[in-house]
Amino acid sequence: KGDIGGNLIMSVDVVVVDDEKPIADLVELYLQNEGYTIHKFYTGKEALDYIESGHTDIAVLDLMLPDIDGFTICKTIREKYYFPIIMLTAKVEDVDKIMGLTIGADDYITKPFNPLELVARVKTQLRRTTQYNQNFAGSSGKPQETDEIEIRGLVLNKSSHKCWLYDNPVTLTPLEFSILWYLCEHQGKVVSSEQLFEDVWGEKFLDNNNTVMAHIGRLREKLNDSYRNPKFIKTVWGVGYQIE
């Protein structure tokens, strides 16, 4: 049985596509440890043939393959299927393309990667899919609003005020949670210190107020987020903060 966010399910079928056998074997080992069923392929054609004939809950797809590139495979999958796709890339310059979601990928991870982080990303995508299906409002055709946000292994639950990073709990004060939730809610947008302070604190912002900077610093520490190369909270100089 697999485990998605603590909920046991009967089985999870994972398609792993990577022409580097040691990497494919490593991904297989760690995901098998979670109880998932792994279908491993070294070429894009083999993977697409299986997806057409078998059942897939999620795919972990390398970008550079010997026969068909990962972008093409992803686009082909998206013509018929909606299961989550996590892209593996060794090229930093491809990240923006993937994050643009123009090819239909749900997440990406750059090589070399921590296998435990990949496991957490897989769990996040499976949890999101399960929650979406549970919240789907029948004949209305519209998903109900959710109180959970998930971004690249970071999970925030508004009703419980709990936070997890790669499935590990992160202890946040109510104010820190509110700041992080606000930034995640505005993912992709730059939020000014003034806007953040006035909306979260509910008070008038003063130019010499360093409160926001101090709290952002503490949040970065708790998320193990690098100031110079942040994975989550990015400083846009002269403007504010952004979660991409």
Side-chain angles (χ1 to χ4, degrees):
K1 294 182 179 180
D3 186 338
I4 302 177
N7 298 320
L8 287 175
I9 61 175
M10 291 308 297
S11 67
V12 172
D13 289 277
V14 185
V15 168
V16 176
V17 193
D18 199 310
D19 64 322
E20 296 182 72
K21 190 176 186 299
I23 293 180
D25 290 347
L26 183 67
V27 172
E28 178 184 36
L29 175 65
Y30 274 80
L31 292 180
Q32 278 183 338
N33 285 341
E34 298 298 320
Y36 303 155
T37 301
I38 311 302
H39 306 277
K40 186 172 57 175
F41 305 98
Y42 304 114
T43 68
K45 184 180 185 305
E46 289 176 327
L48 287 173
D49 287 346
Y50 170 79
I51 290 170
E52 284 286 342
S53 61
H55 174 75
T56 304
D57 290 299
I58 187 169
V60 179
L61 175 62
D62 186 27
L63 187 60
M64 304 300 292
L65 292 166
D67 57 340
I68 312 172
D69 69 88
F71 289 124
T72 301
I73 297 172
C74 186
K75 289 177 183 176
T76 303
I77 291 172
R78 280 292 172 258
E79 290 174 1
K80 292 184 179 180
Y81 305 101
Y82 298 96
F83 55 77
I85 298 173
I86 298 177
M87 302 291 288
L88 298 179
T89 174
K91 293 186 174 182
V92 176
E93 59 266 28
D94 289 325
V95 167
D96 289 338
K97 298 177 185 177
I98 296 172
M99 287 303 291
L101 301 179
T102 56
I103 59 170
D106 297 275
D107 199 358
Y108 75 93
I109 189 166
T110 54
K111 297 178 180 180
F113 57 86
N114 182 333
L116 293 176
E117 180 179 348
L118 177 61
V119 170
R121 300 283 190 93
V122 168
K123 286 185 176 181
T124 293
Q125 292 302 324
L126 290 170
R127 187 187 300 118
R128 175 180 294 162
T129 302
T130 303
Q131 184 175 16
Y132 178 85
N133 291 336
Q134 290 174 346
N135 288 346
F136 201 82
S139 60
S140 70
K142 296 180 180 179
Q144 300 171 348
E145 289 186 3
T146 178
D147 63 352
E148 190 167 283
I149 293 177
E150 301 169 3
I151 299 174
R152 298 189 298 279
L154 175 66
V155 181
L156 293 173
N157 188 289
K158 195 172 186 179
S159 62
S160 64
H161 262 238
K162 291 184 177 179
C163 173
W164 298 268
L165 181 61
Y166 310 138
D167 278 346
N168 295 314
V170 179
T171 303
L172 300 178
T173 66
L175 186 55
E176 288 168 348
F177 183 94
S178 296
I179 295 168
L180 190 54
W181 178 272
Y182 189 90
L183 291 173
C184 289
E185 255 192 333
H186 293 80
Q187 182 184 5
K189 299 178 181 178
V190 180
V191 177
S192 68
S193 296
E194 179 178 358
Q195 179 186 350
L196 183 59
F197 186 85
E198 293 187 354
D199 286 353
V200 174
W201 275 261
E203 300 175 14
K204 185 66 178 176
F205 180 79
L206 301 176
D207 288 340
N208 61 351
N209 194 328
N210 293 321
T211 303
V212 172
M213 187 184 300
H215 278 82
I216 292 293
R218 282 198 287 271
L219 274 172
R220 282 186 173 135
E221 289 179 7
K222 291 186 175 183
L223 297 176
N224 295 318
D225 210 13
S226 165
Y227 174 78
R228 295 186 179 276
N229 187 26
K231 180 171 286 188
F232 296 106
I233 304 175
K234 177 183 177 182
T235 298
V236 181
W237 290 108
V239 186
Y241 303 95
Q242 177 188 33
I243 289 185
E244 296 180 311

